[in-house]
């Protein structure tokens, strides 16, 4: 990331995906210290218990954040889309602790990684960075509360439909290649229950099912 | 809070409950700008949709934080104990938005309220305050993740026993005055199910039941 051409590239991609940043000194530091990361579909970016070293500013694709229990159960929390960063990672980096969630690339995911060691200084130096951090924390609280709402209050068929809608946004298409088994894992349910609910959703016109593919009717 | 004697009082209570603060300038500002709040049992401190004006530093009793859905369903999230503050409130105050959770006094609750208008300046001025804010965010993320774990992965009897244990810590006694109906509301379940589970817990020696009172065996 040390040639002038690459720096200019970072600057324009930041401008496009993170228009919240205007401060030239901050942008210059980001361009100088950041690294590009690209991940294939389903690649693990950060696993439970790992210490993240880079704060991801997502510029393409999506990152799926999920939570696990001790017995290998897993539950989907939320997606990070372009223009967003990970509050969990920010927080882990600021208080120096390992990740309690898992981050997986959903689809040809790209992000700009900011080095954790720079963050404490940026917190002091740049109003914009401080504000961005606080807004990120706020958004992620809302995501976690929405997850709690969904698990505690929503019926499983609503949660399933919302997960499919999230996936279609994350993948940029309403034709989703996914197995009933993996949907069941993400919702901590069983394959049989998910298959039954998908058939119900098909009957009322919310989805169309075909082999290993689900088409979501977003209209 | 403007007499010298009261200021000294705030300083010593801060020292006792929040030993994390050492900076004399910060402590002096807290003592000068803070207000004392006392709440009776079950009094609402902040309701959904309200803009909190004071950040609570809990010094006595406990504050119960819960979440509701649109149809009046409610679910317990976590308790704030002495030595803790509310990440939701901190965040609401920093980004100027209404509360998405409800805060209720559990038992003769007292806290030192810090005025929201001072926080942005303290963030800049005091390392200690910035660190305290970040640690608080981190603790609350962990609480929310634990809630998600509990709802998604734990059985209802485990959640019920954990809620009773939390209550006995919050109330400072293992004899809890509570109805089966209110426990059912906090866990978003039905009175019948909770009564059945309590009888099971009694059978295996985890609790003793009597009229409107539950004794928790913490050993």
């Amino acid at each position: 990331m040390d040639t002038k051409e690459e720096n200019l590239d970072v600057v324009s991609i930041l401008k496009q995906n993170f228009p919240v940043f205007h401060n030239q000194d901050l942008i210059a530091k980001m361009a100088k210290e950041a690294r590009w990361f690209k991940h294939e579909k389903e690649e693990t970016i950060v696993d439970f218990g790992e210490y993240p070293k880079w704060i991801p500013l997502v510029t393409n694709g999506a990152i799926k954040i999920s939570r696990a229990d001790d017995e290998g159960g897993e539950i989907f929390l939320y997606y990070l889309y372009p223009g967003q960063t990970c509050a969990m990672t920010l927080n882990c980096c600021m208080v120096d602790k390992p990740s309690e969630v898992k981050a997986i690339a959903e689809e040809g995911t790209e992000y700009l990684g900011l080095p954790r060691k720079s963050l404490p200084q940026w917190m002091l130096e740049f109003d914009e960075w401080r504000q961005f951090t606080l807004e990120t924390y706020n958004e992620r609280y809302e995501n976690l509360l929405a997850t709690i709402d969904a698990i505690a209050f929503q019926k499983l068929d609503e949660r399933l439909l919302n997960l499919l809608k999230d996936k279609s946004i994350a993948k940029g298409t309403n034709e989703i290649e996914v197995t009933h088994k993996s949907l069941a894992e993400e919702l901590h349910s069983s394959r049989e229950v998910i298959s039954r609910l998908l058939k119900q959703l098909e009957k009322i016109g919310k989805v169309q099912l075909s082999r290993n593919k689900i088409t979501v009717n977003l209209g």
Side-chain angles (χ1 to χ4, degrees), chain A residues 13-30:
Chain A
I13 286 169
L14 267 178
K15 198 173 270 180
Q16 196 185 329
N17 290 282
F18 292 85
V20 69
F21 296 121
H22 297 99
N23 186 300
Q24 293 307 318
D25 293 343
L26 176 60
I27 292 172
K29 286 199 177 177
M30 284 179 174

Side-chain angles (χ1 to χ4, degrees), chain A residues 154-166 176 178 180 183 187 192-210 213-219:
Chain A
Q154 277 184 1
K155 292 192 190 119
L156 192 58
D157 58 343
E158 292 176 60
R159 290 174 55 205
L160 175 59
L161 189 58
N162 285 334
L163 176 62
L164 291 170
K165 285 178 179 170
D166 279 346
I176 302 165
V178 67
H180 298 195
L183 289 171
L187 294 168
E192 291 72 20
V193 169
I194 295 300
S195 293
R196 184 167 49 77
L197 291 176
L198 282 170
K199 272 176 206 151
Q200 285 177 14
L201 289 173
E202 187 172 43
K203 216 175 257 180
I204 58 172
K206 299 285 188 188
V207 301
Q208 280 120 47
L209 306 177
S210 45
K213 205 180 74 180
I214 299 172
T215 308
V216 187
N217 296 332
L218 296 170

Side-chain angles (χ1 to χ4, degrees), chain A residues 30-197:
Chain A
M30 284 179 174
K32 188 162 170 252
E33 302 184 24
R35 259 186 60 192
W36 277 112
F37 292 85
K38 292 186 188 194
H39 290 275
E40 297 304 312
K41 186 177 172 178
E42 314 238 315
E43 214 177 311
T44 299
I45 300 173
V46 176
D47 212 339
F48 309 108
E50 276 182 22
Y51 284 80
K53 290 195 190 71
W54 300 90
I55 315 300
L57 298 185
V58 183
T59 57
N60 204 37
I63 299 177
K64 187 173 85 177
I65 307 292
S66 63
R67 174 81 174 157
D69 70 352
D70 297 337
E71 283 119 48
E74 194 162 330
I75 194 148
F76 167 74
L77 294 180
Y78 50 77
Y79 279 111
L80 300 176
Y81 298 111
Q84 301 187 324
T85 188
C86 183
M88 297 285 179
T89 310
L90 268 176
N91 198 259
C92 282
C93 289
M94 291 301 289
V95 303
D96 196 26
K97 54 187 285 295
S99 178
E100 304 202 58
V101 295
K102 189 174 184 174
I104 291 176
E106 179 66 55
E107 198 83 42
T109 298
E110 291 177 24
Y111 62 85
L112 202 60
L114 304 172
R116 59 177 293 171
K117 65 172 173 38
S118 301
L119 298 196
Q121 182 56 32
W122 292 3
M123 274 297 265
L124 280 177
E125 204 170 339
F126 300 109
D127 263 355
E128 265 182 13
W129 180 258
R130 207 160 40 243
Q131 201 57 31
F132 179 70
T133 301
L134 292 169
E135 297 278 0
T136 297
Y137 283 141
N138 179 47
E139 276 173 33
R140 288 322 139 209
Y141 271 121
E142 289 184 5
N143 286 137
L144 288 184
L145 287 174
T147 305
I148 289 173
D149 288 351
I151 308 175
F153 303 128
Q154 277 184 1
K155 292 192 190 119
L156 192 58
D157 58 343
E158 292 176 60
R159 290 174 55 205
L160 175 59
L161 189 58
N162 285 334
L163 176 62
L164 291 170
K165 285 178 179 170
D166 279 346
K167 281 191 183 295
S168 73
I169 297 169
K171 290 166 190 290
T173 166
N174 66 339
E175 295 195 357
I176 302 165
E177 286 181 34
V178 67
T179 63
H180 298 195
K181 183 166 170 289
S182 78
L183 289 171
E185 280 167 6
E186 288 183 72
L187 294 168
H188 202 63
S189 177
S190 73
R191 194 188 53 71
E192 291 72 20
V193 169
I194 295 300
S195 293
R196 184 167 49 77
L197 291 176

